[in-house]
Amino acid sequence: MKTNKEAFRDYLQLEKKYSDHTVNGYLADVLAFEEFNKVCFEQENIEKVNYSQIRSWIVSLVDAEISNVSVNRKMASLKSFYKFLLKTKQIEVSPMLKHKSLKTPKTIQIPFSEKELADLMQTINNPSGFEEVRDKLIIDLLYTTGIRRAELIQLHVQNVDLSSSVIKVLGKRNKERIIPILPIIVQQINVYLGERLNMENIIDDEYFFISQKGLKLSESFVYRLINSYFSRVSEKVKKSPHVLRHTFATHLLNNGADLNSVKELLGHSSLASTQVYTHNSLAELKKVYANAHPRNK
């Protein structure tokens, strides 16, 4: 007989199709609340809590200087857990029913400029050896396709179709999408595959990108790679794969791409998710407008 938490894990993995990382995060939050409830209320069964107990946890998290963003994420985990209990008829009313998220400051991702990208590409224009060729391809693929870090890591060799100039990636909730790749990327992939063939021992051979030891790349490795390379050309505080994804979308919009096309390329389920990238496009539009309109001469 499975426990509620075990059944919840299955629900997240099989029905919601969340990634292992997301599932583990949700379960960790539920377990943390369970532990808090045991200590503060001497109650082990969190299936029968009331909102005041959840509110006490929120207060304790805020007192511990946990950010509102992190607190909201934990509450989203609880909300999902109690929604699951409702669905399986183990409770009649969710204790999260009237919960309102904490206010969070709106943060604007600052993309890399086209000049920063051009400057970086100039510094890595002639890569030599497996690692340099791989690193350049990772940077270029992230910038020219907008794929997520996890999608890049999970990319399989069989899902790179050079004859059709496309790659197939597995996005959030295991949704597949086909993304076109530019001729220059096709050329780089051919060079990378040539270097990859010379590897003596490839352990994770189904994965497209691998380490010097033949292993699948880790998320921290890709983050460090992007941060290291962009530190050469940018003084921005945040230099990450996500900023590169943001840069991809912003540069497309600045150069005339329509929002729906960018939405499809990014793998967003709704336009609302894509519209976060339009503020930079609007800034560029304002600049062009101010420079071009005769009343501003």
Side-chain angles (χ1 to χ4, degrees):
M1 187 77 174
K2 287 186 177 179
T3 66
N4 279 334
K5 289 184 287 296
E6 289 170 336
F8 181 50
R9 174 188 284 277
D10 290 345
Y11 165 74
L12 294 175
Q13 286 179 327
L14 303 176
E15 189 168 330
K16 302 299 286 183
K17 298 189 183 301
Y18 288 162
S19 69
D20 289 344
H21 178 76
T22 300
V23 171
N24 290 336
Y26 273 47
L27 287 172
D29 292 335
V30 171
L31 288 170
F33 176 58
E34 184 178 63
E35 184 61 30
F36 171 83
N37 219 44
K38 285 179 186 176
V39 173
C40 295
F41 297 100
E42 297 182 351
Q43 180 183 1
E44 294 193 10
N45 188 352
I46 60 170
E47 285 81 352
K48 297 180 180 179
V49 302
N50 55 52
Y51 184 66
S52 65
Q53 290 166 272
I54 295 171
R55 180 68 185 167
S56 295
W57 191 38
I58 294 172
V59 171
S60 74
L61 292 170
V62 172
D63 287 346
E65 299 185 354
I66 304 298
S67 73
N68 285 7
V69 172
S70 295
V71 172
N72 285 342
R73 193 207 71 227
K74 294 177 188 297
M75 293 308 109
S77 300
L78 283 191
K79 191 173 183 179
S80 184
F81 178 65
Y82 288 113
K83 185 178 179 181
F84 164 73
L85 294 181
L86 269 174
K87 189 171 184 175
T88 53
K89 302 188 185 314
Q90 297 183 67
I91 59 174
E92 293 182 1
V93 179
S94 169
M96 296 290 292
L97 186 62
K98 295 183 180 179
H99 172 73
K100 291 184 179 179
S101 298
L102 302 182
K103 290 184 178 180
T104 56
K106 290 186 177 179
T107 57
I108 296 177
Q109 292 278 7
I110 302 175
F112 299 117
S113 67
E114 291 188 34
K115 183 181 184 304
E116 285 173 327
L117 262 299
D119 288 347
L120 178 61
M121 291 306 167
Q122 188 62 37
T123 68
I124 57 175
N125 195 34
N126 296 302
S128 62
F130 171 76
E131 289 187 293
E132 286 186 11
V133 168
R134 178 204 59 201
D135 293 356
K136 182 178 182 350
L137 178 56
I138 286 174
I139 294 167
D140 243 342
L141 196 64
L142 288 170
Y143 175 55
T144 59
T145 65
I147 59 175
R148 301 176 177 92
R149 171 172 54 174
E151 293 169 345
L152 178 128
I153 291 167
Q154 295 293 336
L155 183 63
H156 284 204
V157 173
Q158 66 182 20
N159 291 334
V160 177
D161 185 351
L162 296 183
S163 62
S164 299
S165 296
V166 296
I167 58 173
K168 182 167 70 175
V169 300
L170 193 64
K172 289 185 175 180
R173 302 191 184 186
N174 289 332
K175 286 175 61 178
E176 289 185 345
R177 71 183 187 282
I178 306 295
I179 304 175
I181 51 177
L182 300 173
I184 192 170
I185 302 301
V186 173
Q187 293 172 17
Q188 288 186 47
I189 287 175
N190 278 317
V191 174
Y192 169 72
L193 290 175
E195 294 286 345
R196 197 178 187 276
L197 278 174
N198 294 327
M199 300 279 289
E200 290 185 6
N201 185 29
I202 300 178
I203 299 168
D204 295 326
D205 61 344
E206 70 270 33
Y207 293 100
F208 185 75
F209 286 111
I210 53 175
S211 69
Q212 186 73 53
K213 295 181 179 179
L215 297 170
K216 173 188 173 186
L217 301 183
S218 67
E219 291 202 358
S220 60
F221 174 89
V222 178
Y223 176 84
R224 290 195 305 271
L225 185 150
I226 297 302
N227 188 278
S228 174
Y229 275 91
F230 276 91
S231 292
R232 303 178 185 180
V233 297
S234 177
E235 294 183 359
K236 288 182 173 64
V237 173
K238 193 166 184 181
K239 298 179 279 288
S240 68
H242 186 70
V243 173
L244 204 45
R245 174 173 162 86
H246 183 69
T247 301
F248 160 81
T250 302
H251 289 184
L252 279 182
L253 290 166
N254 284 348
N255 285 278
D258 69 275
L259 201 59
N260 266 309
S261 298
V262 176
K263 167 185 169 289
E264 293 301 318
L265 288 166
L266 290 172
H268 286 160
S269 56
S270 70
L271 271 179
S273 299
T274 315
Q275 284 170 334
V276 70
Y277 298 105
T278 61
H279 74 277
N280 289 293
S281 182
L282 181 60
E284 186 70 16
L285 189 61
K286 285 180 177 178
K287 187 168 69 176
V288 171
Y289 172 65
N291 290 336
H293 200 283
R295 287 296 297 274
N296 203 40
K297 301 296 183 186

